[in-house]
């Protein structure tokens, strides 16, 4: 019988929830990926100041540097189904820096 020995590993990326103050790093990541620049005012308008007052955001960070390498965000979406006000979610931003897109194998980081 082979003895199992625990091996310590450290993932290169950690996925965590958004925390207040992450906006600058998110915008920086966005601007590295997309050709239409975004600024903090736009981020605040889209996420912090949205009419429902809620967001669902996950960040991927490089554990060695703390750099944001990905962002997955949805916004609450109010819909009416059979006369009932229903809160659902709409995915609005999904981004990963090119060098991290294959991390973790298929289907990728997120």
């Amino acid at each position: 019988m082979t003895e199992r020995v625990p091996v310590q590993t450290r993932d290169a990326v950690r996925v965590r929830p958004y925390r207040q103050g992450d906006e600058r790093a998110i915008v920086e990541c966005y601007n590295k990926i997309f050709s239409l620049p975004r600024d903090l005012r736009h981020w605040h308008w889209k996420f912090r100041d949205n009419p429902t007052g809620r967001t669902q955001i996950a960040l991927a960070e490089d554990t060695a540097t703390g750099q944001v390498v990905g962002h997955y965000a949805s916004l609450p979406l109010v819909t009416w189904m059979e006369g009932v006000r229903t809160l659902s979610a709409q995915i609005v931003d999904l981004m990963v820096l090119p060098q991290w897109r294959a991390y973790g194998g298929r289907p990728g980081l997120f």
Side-chain angles (χ1 to χ4, degrees), residues 32-43:
K32 287 178 182 175
I33 296 170
F34 299 104
S35 59
L36 181 63
R38 179 176 286 174
D39 60 22
L40 279 175
R41 285 186 335 219
H42 183 232
W43 193 92

Side-chain angles (χ1 to χ4, degrees), residues 23 25-34 38 43 47 58-60 68-73 91-98 101 109-110:
E23 306 87 70
I26 293 168
V27 169
E28 183 180 312
C29 182
Y30 181 94
N31 289 337
K32 287 178 182 175
I33 296 170
F34 299 104
R38 179 176 286 174
W43 193 92
F47 295 104
L59 297 180
V68 171
V69 299
H71 175 254
Y72 186 95
I91 304 302
V92 292
D93 278 357
L94 172 55
M95 62 187 178
V96 176
L97 290 173
R101 289 184 184 156
L109 192 54
F110 287 115

Side-chain angles (χ1 to χ4, degrees), residues 36-63:
L36 181 63
R38 179 176 286 174
D39 60 22
L40 279 175
R41 285 186 335 219
H42 183 232
W43 193 92
H44 288 148
W45 169 82
K46 189 171 189 177
F47 295 104
R48 185 191 69 189
D49 302 333
N50 77 72
T52 64
R54 298 194 269 180
T55 59
Q56 293 292 323
I57 299 173
L59 297 180
E61 288 182 327
D62 178 335
T63 55

Side-chain angles (χ1 to χ4, degrees), residues 57-96:
I57 299 173
L59 297 180
E61 288 182 327
D62 178 335
T63 55
T65 66
Q67 176 189 22
V68 171
V69 299
H71 175 254
Y72 186 95
S74 67
L75 291 174
L77 177 65
V78 176
T79 58
W80 290 88
M81 289 191 254
E82 298 180 340
V84 177
R85 183 179 187 267
T86 305
L87 190 62
S88 57
Q90 177 182 12
I91 304 302
V92 292
D93 278 357
L94 172 55
M95 62 187 178
V96 176

